Amino acid sequence: MTILKMNPEEYSFAAEYVPLLISILEKRGIPQEQLLRDTGVQPALWREPGARVSAEQLEKVIRRALSLTGDDWLGWEFGAAMTMSTHGFLGYAALSSETLGEAIELAVKYFRTRSTILDLQLVIDGDMAALQLEELISLNDLAPFLVEGLFSSFHFMTMKVLPDMPIDDGELRFAYPRPHYFDQLKPLIPVPCLFDCAYHQMRFPAWKLNEKLHFADPRLASMAAAQCEQELATIKAPPGLLGQVRRIVLSHSGRFPSVDEAASELHMSSRTLKRKLQQLGTSYQKILDDLRKGLAVEHLTQTSSTVDDIALMLGYSDASNFARAFRRWTGRSPTDYRA
């Protein structure tokens, strides 16, 4: 995550998540003072109603936690330790919803009360549904901690509200390379995991959206949603520029637009677009490469399309140019990746 000239009021995280991380480190013998030192986060900040930590503060806390523990996979443990109360009124609203679909609808609508660093969307793809996390700031090397933490949290909370529902019929997709620690965790994860994808997605059969939740309580759900609405009114929505650029890149069937074309669609100059993307920790070329890589991985792993056909779909004049780019992105050839 790169923080450049950010408005901390626009890019922030609910402070209630900090004491959970403190608790995890204290079990390892690492005191709160050591974790929060030089992060700008004041002890007991999270006891203030509506308290937030800025993107810069969150980055410092996460980096310090990873450094102090040496556990690069800490995000999985962080998410598993979350409870409904960790997610504030949004957690209670989701817990007491009638169906899983209604719970997700509330989570999508009010996710900003939890984070304006990431956004949550529900995507329907045929007979599959997906909880999709979209980066509002380019997370870069901190993506594994935050994305794995939230997906882990979603998984364990779903098990609580739907204890009898099968959990091995989904899939996790990550928009970053396979972490070095994944082989250690793989036996503990009940679904296939794909890396280098176009989006961060937690995929599951769409029929589950109609499942009745174990703790459904319409009155409590309505009260909690009203509280979420009040919180939402106090939190400024950050510009969704990264998502807008990604959608523009993907909307040009059969080719990918230049930075000038994308800027024109956004009613700004290419110089302004480049500057704004730099402030979000990324660039137009990186967005383009990440989407091309993600689409390539999905075609290689999910379809029988030939390498030549995939190269053509991604705008490459021949398969050798595509293969060189793919090796640069993943360290492997398209053929090796498919194998």
Side-chain angles (χ1 to χ4, degrees):
M1 183 156 46
T2 303
I3 310 300
L4 297 172
K5 300 178 181 177
M6 291 295 178
N7 181 345
E9 295 180 355
E10 292 183 351
Y11 299 95
S12 62
F13 225 76
E16 292 101 321
Y17 295 98
V18 177
L20 178 61
L21 191 56
I22 289 172
S23 174
I24 291 173
L25 266 67
E26 284 180 339
K27 291 177 182 177
R28 289 168 163 77
I30 301 169
Q32 169 182 310
E33 296 76 17
Q34 194 173 358
L35 172 62
L36 298 184
R37 187 179 302 147
D38 300 323
T39 64
V41 177
Q42 298 301 314
L45 165 70
W46 42 90
R47 295 197 181 101
E48 301 174 12
R52 313 278 291 186
V53 292
S54 70
E56 184 174 11
Q57 290 171 327
L58 182 67
E59 177 180 18
K60 289 178 179 178
V61 170
I62 293 174
R63 289 197 187 282
R64 193 154 180 81
L66 293 171
S67 175
L68 289 169
T69 63
D71 297 330
D72 293 337
W73 45 264
L74 192 63
W76 290 101
E77 182 179 349
F78 181 57
M82 291 182 193
T83 63
M84 288 295 180
S85 61
T86 310
H87 296 292
F89 285 112
L90 179 54
Y92 291 113
L95 174 70
S96 51
S97 295
E98 186 73 19
T99 65
L100 180 62
E102 290 179 12
I104 291 175
E105 183 180 335
L106 285 173
V108 168
K109 183 177 181 179
Y110 297 117
F111 194 71
R112 198 197 319 159
T113 65
R114 302 287 90 202
S115 167
T116 54
I117 294 170
L118 286 156
D119 190 27
L120 180 67
Q121 298 294 330
L122 174 64
V123 177
I124 305 298
D125 182 11
D127 60 356
M128 296 295 286
L131 280 172
Q132 181 168 295
L133 287 170
E134 297 188 359
E135 300 177 20
L136 299 177
I137 296 174
S138 188
L139 300 176
N140 297 320
D141 62 324
L142 292 190
F145 180 93
L146 287 169
V147 173
E148 290 164 14
L150 286 169
F151 281 168
S152 176
S153 170
F154 297 160
H155 166 73
F156 284 103
M157 287 193 296
T158 302
M159 288 180 63
K160 290 175 184 176
V161 298
L162 288 168
D164 300 321
M165 190 175 68
I167 59 172
D168 58 354
D169 52 357
E171 181 182 85
L172 293 177
R173 295 185 180 184
F174 303 96
Y176 47 80
R178 181 187 178 101
H180 66 87
Y181 52 82
F182 182 70
D183 286 342
Q184 297 173 264
L185 295 175
K186 188 177 179 181
L188 305 176
I189 302 174
V191 296
C193 295
L194 295 175
F195 296 94
D196 291 313
C197 296
Y199 291 100
H200 309 297
Q201 290 185 337
M202 184 176 193
R203 299 172 67 86
F204 56 92
W207 63 261
K208 292 185 177 182
L209 293 171
N210 298 317
E211 289 294 283
K212 302 289 186 180
L213 299 192
H214 192 61
F215 302 105
D217 184 335
R219 180 174 171 274
L220 178 58
S222 178
M223 292 172 60
Q227 290 294 327
C228 289
E229 194 70 43
Q230 289 183 27
E231 288 185 26
L232 192 68
T234 68
I235 299 169
K236 185 177 180 182
L241 183 62
L242 291 186
Q244 289 176 308
V245 172
R246 291 188 187 105
R247 284 186 280 276
I248 287 172
V249 169
L250 292 172
S251 67
H252 289 246
S253 180
R255 69 178 188 86
F256 293 92
S258 68
V259 64
D260 291 330
E261 290 175 300
S264 178
E265 290 195 35
L266 291 166
H267 307 290
M268 63 178 73
S269 68
S270 59
R271 182 176 180 180
T272 298
L273 177 58
K274 289 176 183 177
R275 175 176 55 80
K276 288 180 177 291
L277 291 175
Q278 182 186 29
Q279 290 175 349
L280 294 172
T282 189
S283 67
Y284 186 77
Q285 188 61 51
K286 185 176 187 303
I287 292 173
L288 185 60
D289 285 347
D290 286 347
L291 285 173
R292 274 177 158 171
K293 176 183 69 175
L295 292 171
V297 166
E298 291 183 18
H299 281 296
L300 287 168
T301 58
Q302 306 294 314
T303 76
S304 58
S305 300
T306 66
V307 173
D308 284 345
D309 287 342
I310 295 172
L312 188 62
M313 282 186 283
L314 296 179
Y316 288 92
S317 55
D318 59 66
S320 60
N321 288 337
F322 164 60
R324 280 194 292 272
F326 192 82
R327 186 178 291 277
R328 186 176 72 251
W329 296 331
T330 67
R332 300 163 66 184
S333 71
T335 304
D336 289 343
Y337 201 99
R338 171 168 271 169

